[in-house]
Amino acid sequence: MKPFKTLHSTAVPLPIEDVDTDQIIPARFLKATSREGFGDNLFRDWRYDNQDQPKPDFVLNNALYQGEMLICGKNFGCGSSREHAAWALYDHGFKVVVSSFFADIFKGNALNNGLLPITVSDEVLHGYFQAIEQDSNTVFIANLDEQSFGIAGQAQQHFEIDSYKKMCLQKGYADIDYLISIKDKIEAFETQQVRW
C-alpha cells in the first residue's frame, strides 16, 4: 500500500443508501486469489448491461465525475464481510470513501487495505452531495495527519480513526508490515524471557 498523508481530489457521488458488498463486487467475481483486477468489476451489475456495455446513467460511466474519493449514502458496505469490496474500490482508484455510516466489517477491511473511510453527519453528507451536483469539479481535502475532511476553502470536519490504523495508513503498512518494522523489538523481548 502507498503511504497516505493528504489527498486533494474531486469526488464521485453515489447517494444511494444501504449499498451492500454484493453490489460493490458481485460474488461471481470472487475467485481470484490476488487483489489486482477487482476494480474492473466494481459495481459491475450497476455499471454494465447484459451485453457488457456501460450503462450511461450510472455515475462511474459519467465523465463529469472523476476523482479518488467516493462519497456514498448511509450504511455503505453492509451485507457480507467480503474483503474483496475494499479491494475493488482501491483497485479502481479510490483512496477515500465518505459516508454517514459504514458497516463495521467493511470499515475494518477498508482500513486494512489502504482505503480511508471517513464518517460525517447526515447533514454534512447531504451538503457534499449538493456541492458536487452544483459543480462536479468541487475539490475535497482529506488530511489524515490532522484527521480532517471537507471541501477545499471551507470549514473542515474532524473525523475519528483508530491510532494504530492511522499509523499504518500513514506508513503504507499492512499488519504484517508493521510486525516486520518492529522485528528487532520482538527479538529483544524474546531474549529477555525467562527460560524454564
Side-chain angles (χ1 to χ4, degrees):
M1 298 184 301
K2 294 180 180 178
F4 190 114
K5 297 290 184 183
T6 303
L7 178 65
H8 294 69
S9 177
T10 53
V12 176
L14 188 69
I16 302 171
E17 294 188 357
D18 304 318
V19 174
D20 66 41
T21 54
D22 194 54
Q23 293 161 326
I24 297 170
I25 182 72
R28 65 186 183 277
F29 298 112
L30 306 185
K31 297 175 184 176
T33 56
S34 71
R35 300 177 189 189
E36 291 74 33
F38 277 92
D40 294 338
N41 295 309
L42 176 66
F43 298 116
R44 181 72 189 198
D45 295 335
W46 290 355
R47 285 170 68 191
Y48 299 97
D49 63 21
N50 292 336
Q51 285 74 46
D52 289 329
Q53 297 301 308
K55 295 179 180 178
D57 58 343
F58 186 61
V59 68
L60 290 188
N61 298 326
N62 187 336
L64 276 178
Y65 303 109
Q66 303 291 324
E68 296 176 281
M69 300 181 184
L70 180 66
I71 299 186
C72 320
K74 188 174 186 175
N75 196 27
F76 187 79
C78 57
S80 70
S81 61
R82 68 187 63 161
E83 191 172 20
H84 307 74
W87 294 1
L89 288 158
Y90 190 84
D91 189 60
H92 184 77
F94 291 117
K95 304 297 181 286
V96 171
V97 286
V98 180
S99 179
S100 59
F101 182 82
F102 292 102
D104 287 341
I105 294 175
F106 171 82
K107 187 173 184 178
N109 287 336
L111 289 167
N112 288 338
N113 288 282
L115 186 64
L116 176 60
I118 295 175
T119 305
V120 297
S121 70
D122 288 325
E123 181 182 4
V124 168
L125 185 67
H126 180 69
Y128 293 160
F129 285 132
Q130 285 186 320
I132 297 170
E133 185 178 350
Q134 291 170 5
D135 182 3
S136 62
N137 292 314
T138 298
V139 174
F140 293 82
I141 302 172
N143 186 321
L144 181 57
D145 291 346
E146 296 181 3
Q147 294 178 217
S148 63
F149 180 81
I151 297 171
Q154 296 185 16
Q156 303 294 290
Q157 301 292 314
H158 178 79
F159 64 86
E160 297 296 327
I161 184 170
D162 175 84
S163 59
Y164 167 71
K165 291 301 181 184
K166 177 180 178 178
M167 179 275 296
C168 285
L169 284 173
Q170 289 170 323
K171 294 182 178 290
Y173 285 171
D175 289 335
I176 191 69
D177 298 315
Y178 171 71
L179 292 174
I180 291 170
S181 77
I182 60 168
K183 179 181 176 186
D184 292 344
K185 292 179 180 178
I186 294 170
E187 290 174 344
F189 176 81
E190 283 291 311
T191 61
Q192 295 173 5
Q193 300 311 299
V194 176
R195 304 294 182 199
W196 298 99

